[in-house]
Amino acid sequence: MSEGAVREIVVLLPTHLRTLARTGRTVTLRVHEPVTRCALLDALEAAYPMLGGTIRDRKTGKRRDFIRFFACEQDLSLEPDDARLPEAVVSGSEPFMVVGAMAGG
Amino acid sequence: MSTVRVLVGTRKGAFILTSDAARQHWHVDGPHFAGWEIYHLKGSAVDPNRIYASQSTGWFGQIVQRSDDGGKTWEPVGNTFEYAGEVGTHLWYDGTQHPWGFKRIWRLEPSLTERDTVYAGAEDAALFRSTDAGKTWQELPGLRAAKGSLWQPGAGGMCLHTIVLDPVHPGRLYVAISAGGAFRSDDHGETWRPINKGLISPYELPDADADVGHCVHSIALHPRHPDTLFMQKHWDVMRSDDGGGRWHEISGDLPTDFGFPIAVHAHEPETVYVIPIKSDTEHYPPEGKLRVYRSRSGGNTWEALTNGLPQENCYVNVLRTALSVDTLPSCGIYFGTTGGQVYGSADSGDHWQAIVRDLPAVVSVEAQVLP
């Protein structure tokens, strides 16, 4: 990891957030190392301000209850905000997925 | 020739219904915000093409959208609703105190005079105001100072669902909260007082005539008689002739006095509409007959309006914000049901037609007349 280097991260958004942000299925964001979830969501909300508050609480930064974060076939939802994302995400070979939790029923 | 626009919020999106003044043939546009719950849409009286929409889901939270072209295009505006100062606590279901927490916006009420001012009613109950067309929101915390620690959520949450702006007395506005009661401000929302004298809730409150805590479902007034308020309470239809100073019951000969919405005719201040629902545990019309009740005497004496409405096997509900009138010379009246029908009448309720039948469950209906 090179401190301060810029990475291009692919983020996959759920349908409702794509519509709200008027994007396609994925967006590509430039994020400085270290690439953490917090840094990635900061970049996402800076690029798409209308997504503020829809994934995490604006004030506390806490993930909304029915939002999950998946990558590399793992659920990263409970990982610390400041943990570096998996190398495959950081290198751009795997997307970081923002997912609405299953409704059930 | 005038155009009528009916803004419909549903559990799965918003729809905009338009017609000429005859109101016989309608164009249905939507869904807007497909898949999202739309608790309320409302157009500005100052600029009818400016419309606000409250959009939310349990997954992604609250969004407020604004259109400046009559609903053709929309832009998300501010969705930061922070309670002012110390958050404080209110009564919880188990009788303990519980911190206020924002969940959603139930009601959006544009100012009658200021183009960029709009009020928002929140769950947990609080009143917010924006003076920049929805970009930023500030709480009016004087409302929660009106015994807010004694307010308690009902089964549907603790929501500020009704905002009534007085068109005559400067600075006067009313709100209603489930289950906090009705409140009035005479200084543009800075300070508030409960206006619940005369309300009796023996099955909902240990102190039946408590100062606060009543489950008020909706309030309406006629702009020419703003001191007269009509209320549909959880049970009981009520009236006040002194701006909420004192209420008296006008349920009269209604088949049941439980219900959610209430409305006043656009040109007849003593003509009132309610839609009775069987009970608080059976949220559908009595006898499976969908009937709007109209009083032309300001209450107590009611007539059933049934022409064009289903009179058998109808078990839908009509929610508190889902009844509205237009201001054309022959007053139009509209309501939406949890079964997805929107009914309209172009003759004050004498005859009805289903404008659309198969929408998602309807949460709100607001009519506008465009020149």
Side-chain angles (χ1 to χ4, degrees):
Chain A
M1 172 175 78
S2 164
E3 193 78 19
V6 176
R7 305 292 189 182
E8 290 200 340
I9 312 296
V10 177
V11 178
L12 190 149
L13 292 171
T15 304
H16 283 327
L17 298 189
R18 283 176 225 161
T19 307
L20 184 62
R22 294 171 188 164
T23 70
R25 188 163 176 263
T26 62
V27 297
T28 301
L29 301 167
R30 291 165 61 82
V31 184
H32 287 273
E33 287 279 13
V35 180
T36 65
R37 186 171 78 203
C38 182
L40 180 59
L41 294 179
D42 286 347
L44 178 66
E45 291 170 359
Y48 302 96
M50 67 286 282
L51 298 184
T54 63
I55 296 170
R56 55 181 179 168
D57 185 271
R58 279 184 185 276
K59 199 168 182 179
T60 66
K62 183 175 174 290
R63 172 179 56 84
R64 290 185 57 81
D65 288 345
F66 297 155
I67 295 286
R68 294 287 182 271
F69 302 122
F70 296 167
C72 308
E73 299 185 350
Q74 297 175 59
D75 184 351
L76 305 179
S77 307
L78 302 179
E79 296 294 313
D81 254 358
D82 57 357
R84 190 168 187 267
L85 295 177
E87 188 56 38
V89 173
V90 173
S91 68
S93 61
E94 286 284 338
F96 179 86
M97 300 167 66
V98 179
V99 178
M102 277 186 289
Chain B
M1 193 179 191
S2 299
T3 301
V4 178
R5 185 159 59 205
V6 178
L7 309 170
V8 181
T10 80
R11 293 287 181 207
K12 295 291 179 187
F15 297 82
I16 299 178
L17 321 179
T18 49
S19 171
D20 61 21
R23 292 160 289 178
Q24 299 304 310
H25 303 287
W26 292 84
H27 174 72
V28 179
D29 177 46
H32 300 267
F33 323 118
W36 294 71
E37 288 191 288
I38 306 299
Y39 269 61
H40 196 217
L41 303 105
K42 188 137 189 194
S44 163
V46 181
D47 175 1
N49 281 329
R50 171 165 283 184
I51 302 171
Y52 295 92
S54 173
Q55 169 189 6
S56 65
T57 70
W59 284 267
F60 308 113
Q62 178 69 50
I63 302 291
V64 177
Q65 299 265 1
R66 191 188 76 216
S67 173
D68 287 324
D69 56 11
K72 292 185 184 71
T73 62
W74 297 87
E75 287 294 330
V77 287
N79 66 345
T80 301
F81 293 90
E82 290 185 359
Y83 295 98
E86 284 285 319
V87 172
T89 58
H90 60 77
L91 266 180
W92 194 235
Y93 296 102
D94 61 2
T96 62
Q97 286 287 309
H98 188 82
W100 247 272
F102 177 83
K103 296 181 180 62
R104 62 177 61 81
I105 294 298
W106 281 63
R107 178 92 188 191
L108 291 162
E109 194 66 35
S111 164
L112 299 175
T113 54
E114 305 293 329
R115 186 173 186 272
D116 289 340
T117 296
V118 53
Y119 296 86
E123 176 187 358
D124 286 343
L127 183 64
F128 290 83
R129 180 172 59 197
S130 170
T131 56
D132 55 11
K135 290 193 191 78
T136 61
W137 298 91
Q138 295 79 39
E139 192 199 357
L140 295 166
L143 175 61
R144 288 192 296 132
K147 302 190 175 182
S149 63
L150 300 178
W151 307 349
Q152 191 170 24
M158 196 174 80
C159 48
L160 194 163
H161 49 68
T162 299
I163 303 170
V164 178
L165 306 177
D166 186 319
V168 174
H169 303 104
R172 181 178 295 180
L173 61 159
Y174 302 91
V175 300
I177 295 168
S178 293
F183 300 84
R184 169 177 148 184
S185 170
D186 289 294
D187 55 8
H188 303 274
E190 295 304 313
T191 61
W192 293 82
R193 62 186 174 91
I195 50 164
N196 300 301
K197 288 186 171 53
L199 304 187
I200 310 291
S201 304
Y203 304 109
E204 294 90 43
L205 295 175
D207 175 6
D209 59 353
D211 203 20
V212 297
H214 300 273
C215 193
V216 177
H217 283 181
S218 56
I219 294 175
L221 63 70
H222 191 279
R224 288 206 313 270
H225 289 201
D227 288 336
T228 297
L229 304 176
F230 295 96
M231 173 194 291
Q232 172 69 66
K233 194 164 72 65
H234 194 78
W235 293 97
D236 302 333
V237 180
M238 308 294 291
R239 171 182 180 136
S240 168
D241 290 301
D242 57 2
R246 185 86 196 172
W247 298 89
H248 62 273
E249 188 173 357
I250 55 167
S251 305
D253 56 5
L254 286 170
T256 160
D257 58 15
F258 186 90
F260 291 97
I262 192 164
V264 185
H265 191 285
H267 313 300
E268 301 170 12
E270 293 294 312
T271 298
V272 189
Y273 299 88
V274 294
I275 303 176
I277 294 298
K278 185 175 179 186
S279 73
D280 52 358
T281 54
E282 295 167 276
H283 282 186
Y284 44 74
E287 305 170 61
K289 299 176 179 177
L290 184 55
R291 292 168 289 189
V292 176
Y293 277 74
R294 177 174 63 194
S295 172
R296 292 193 182 275
S297 54
N300 288 317
T301 304
W302 300 86
E303 58 179 320
L305 307 175
T306 61
N307 193 327
L309 298 176
Q311 295 304 299
E312 60 180 6
N313 303 322
C314 182
Y315 292 93
V316 297
N317 193 4
V318 180
L319 299 179
R320 71 187 84 234
T321 318
L323 173 66
S324 182
V325 297
D326 73 31
T327 56
L328 286 172
S330 175
C331 177
I333 179 163
Y334 310 88
F335 69 94
T337 77
T338 54
Q341 301 86 32
V342 178
Y343 293 100
S345 166
D347 55 8
S348 303
D350 291 336
H351 301 87
W352 296 87
Q353 65 162 323
I355 298 173
V356 58
R357 287 190 179 277
D358 297 305
L359 300 184
V362 174
V363 181
S364 68
V365 172
E366 293 285 355
Q368 294 181 286
V369 173
L370 309 172

